[in-house]
């Protein structure tokens, strides 16, 4: 079969048309790619915006909750502090009257019982919860609703400084005692070893926990 000039021109025309179609398809593909890229970018920006808004909202909620929690903690601390003060006074009002008979049974006559005795010296203050005195003895009682070893150590410190604040009792034997409705583990044994009386609630009364062999320590200035 002989190829004529017309056939050649027709083939060339078809080739040109095919190239144009290819170019058109390529351009359409490029356009779709760019459109897809644009949509993805917009979605990414929208997602970022939403995430940022959610983050800000979460931060706001957490901040509000934190402030609310802080207010609750502050209020609870104040209530506990108020309760502790009232409870401490209640304990003292139980211990003070009991001292009149408790120490008499330990050959320490009681002539006077005073509560919340405070003395200032050189800018420092020494406060005694309960002070028991007679002609020959003075007894310092530290009263806590919950007695700990640290409370015992604090009383020992006060006893070593007592005669500096109250020189009027220098001629008397100085004893110490701790009292508590609740006694943390080991606090009573530690106080006993330091030569202190230990008082605690027994039913509706207050009792001395030290056995009859106990000999109280007489405290002097260091």
């Amino acid at each position: 079969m002989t190829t004529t000039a017309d056939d050649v021109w027709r083939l060339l025309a078809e080739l040109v048309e095919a190239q144009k179609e290819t170019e058109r398809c390529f351009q359409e593909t490029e356009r779709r790619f760019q459109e897809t890229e644009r949509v993805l970018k917009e979605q990414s920006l929208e997602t970022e915006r939403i995430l940022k808004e959610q983050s800000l909202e979460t931060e706001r909620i957490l901040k509000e909750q934190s402030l609310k929690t802080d207010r609750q903690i502050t209020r609870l601390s104040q209530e506990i502090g108020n309760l502790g003060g009232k409870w401490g006074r209640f304990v003292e009002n139980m211990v003070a009257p009991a001292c009149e008979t408790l120490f008499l049974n330990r050959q320490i006559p009681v002539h006077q019982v005073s509560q919340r005795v405070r003395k200032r010296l050189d800018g420092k203050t020494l406060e005694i919860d309960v002070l028991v005195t007679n002609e020959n003895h003075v007894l310092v009682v530290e009263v806590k609703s919950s007695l700990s070893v640290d409370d015992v150590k604090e009383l020992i410190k006060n006893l070593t400084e007592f005669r500096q604040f109250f020189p009027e009792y220098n001629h008397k034997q100085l004893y110490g005692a701790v009292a508590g409705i609740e006694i943390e583990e080991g606090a009573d044994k530690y106080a006993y070893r330091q030569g202190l009386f230990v008082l605690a609630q027994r039913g509706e009364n207050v009792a001395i926990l030290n056995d009859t062999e106990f000999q109280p320590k007489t405290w002097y200035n260091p």
Side-chain angles (χ1 to χ4, degrees):
M1 181 176 179
T2 302
T3 301
T4 65
D6 291 338
D7 292 334
V8 172
W9 285 110
R10 182 177 55 78
L11 291 172
L12 288 174
E14 290 177 357
L15 179 59
V16 170
E17 188 63 31
Q19 287 178 338
K20 289 181 179 179
E21 179 63 18
T22 299
E23 185 177 351
R24 187 186 65 77
C25 290
F26 178 79
Q27 290 176 348
E28 178 64 19
T29 301
E30 179 69 16
R31 186 189 66 78
R32 290 182 179 180
F33 176 79
Q34 290 177 352
E35 179 66 15
T36 301
E37 187 177 36
R38 182 188 65 78
V39 171
L40 289 176
K41 186 176 181 179
E42 288 181 356
Q43 289 178 342
S44 176
L45 291 173
E46 179 66 13
T47 301
E48 184 177 350
R49 183 187 65 80
I50 293 173
L51 289 176
K52 186 176 181 179
E53 289 180 355
Q54 290 177 342
S55 177
L56 291 173
E57 179 66 11
T58 301
E59 184 178 353
R60 183 188 64 80
I61 292 173
L62 290 175
K63 186 175 182 179
E64 288 181 355
Q65 185 62 38
S66 177
L67 291 173
K68 182 179 179 181
T69 301
D70 288 344
R71 288 194 296 268
Q72 290 174 335
I73 291 174
T74 300
R75 186 178 72 254
L76 181 60
S77 297
Q78 291 173 345
E79 291 176 356
I80 290 175
N82 293 336
L83 179 61
K86 294 176 182 178
W87 192 245
R89 287 191 292 275
F90 172 70
V91 173
E92 289 176 25
N93 290 334
M94 286 183 61
V95 172
C99 288
E100 297 183 11
T101 56
L102 287 176
F103 292 106
L104 180 61
N105 296 332
R106 296 298 176 111
Q107 287 71 54
I108 302 177
V110 177
H111 295 170
Q112 182 175 339
V113 178
S114 305
Q115 296 186 49
R116 293 189 177 269
V117 179
R118 180 181 296 181
K119 196 77 170 287
R120 290 184 61 84
L121 178 67
D122 297 332
K124 297 194 301 182
T125 301
L126 181 63
E127 182 173 331
I128 308 300
D129 292 335
V130 179
L131 188 66
V132 179
T133 59
N134 61 32
E135 291 181 355
N136 301 312
H137 307 89
V138 56
L139 180 67
V140 174
V141 185
E142 179 77 9
V143 183
K144 298 292 182 181
S145 55
S146 180
L147 180 69
S148 68
V149 171
D150 287 341
D151 295 327
V152 178
K153 292 179 178 179
E154 181 66 22
L155 173 61
I156 292 173
K157 177 178 177 295
N158 291 342
L159 287 169
T160 60
E161 299 176 349
F162 178 83
R163 296 186 189 277
Q164 299 174 21
F165 283 85
F166 297 92
E168 61 270 28
Y169 296 114
N170 281 348
H171 63 288
K172 298 184 179 184
Q173 288 184 291
L174 174 62
Y175 297 147
V178 290
I181 286 185
E182 292 183 356
I183 299 179
E184 296 182 11
E185 184 176 358
D188 52 347
K189 294 182 176 62
Y190 179 75
Y192 188 103
R193 292 196 301 270
Q194 302 305 311
L196 303 173
F197 288 102
V198 181
L199 283 64
Q201 187 177 17
R202 287 293 178 266
E204 297 182 356
N205 301 313
V206 176
I208 295 178
L209 302 186
N210 308 65
D211 56 46
T212 55
E213 302 299 321
F214 172 75
Q215 293 296 320
K217 177 179 178 178
T218 300
W219 295 84
Y220 301 95
N221 284 338

